[in-house]
Amino acid sequence: MATGTIKWFNSTKGYGFIASDAGGPDVFLHASAVERAGLPSVLEGQRYSYDEELGRNGKSQAVNLKAA
């Protein structure tokens, strides 16, 4: 599992990004991943562990979100 910090998240738009501790590009975070984790929402600056998988658009996205 990777770890990172919420860079920004807009619940109205339904997505945001995680800045990975390992560096590299930010990881997309969709509101559905937050819901599946049983979280009411996420806030900028919070740390989470997550798995990365390829989304339908071929880009990396966070899944299996857990508080770190």
Side-chain angles (χ1 to χ4, degrees):
M1 278 195 134
T3 57
T5 304
I6 302 296
K7 187 170 185 177
W8 70 269
F9 188 83
N10 185 316
S11 57
T12 303
K13 291 183 178 182
Y15 69 92
F17 292 91
I18 298 175
S20 174
D21 289 345
D26 294 338
V27 180
F28 180 78
L29 175 62
H30 193 268
S32 62
V34 176
E35 291 172 10
R36 279 193 299 271
L39 302 169
S41 67
V42 294
L43 299 173
E44 293 175 17
Q46 288 180 317
R47 293 186 41 76
Y48 288 93
S49 62
Y50 57 92
D51 292 321
E52 286 186 51
E53 71 177 26
L54 286 181
R56 286 181 277 177
N57 62 358
K59 296 190 177 191
S60 182
Q61 67 181 23
V63 295
N64 302 325
L65 199 62
K66 294 182 178 135

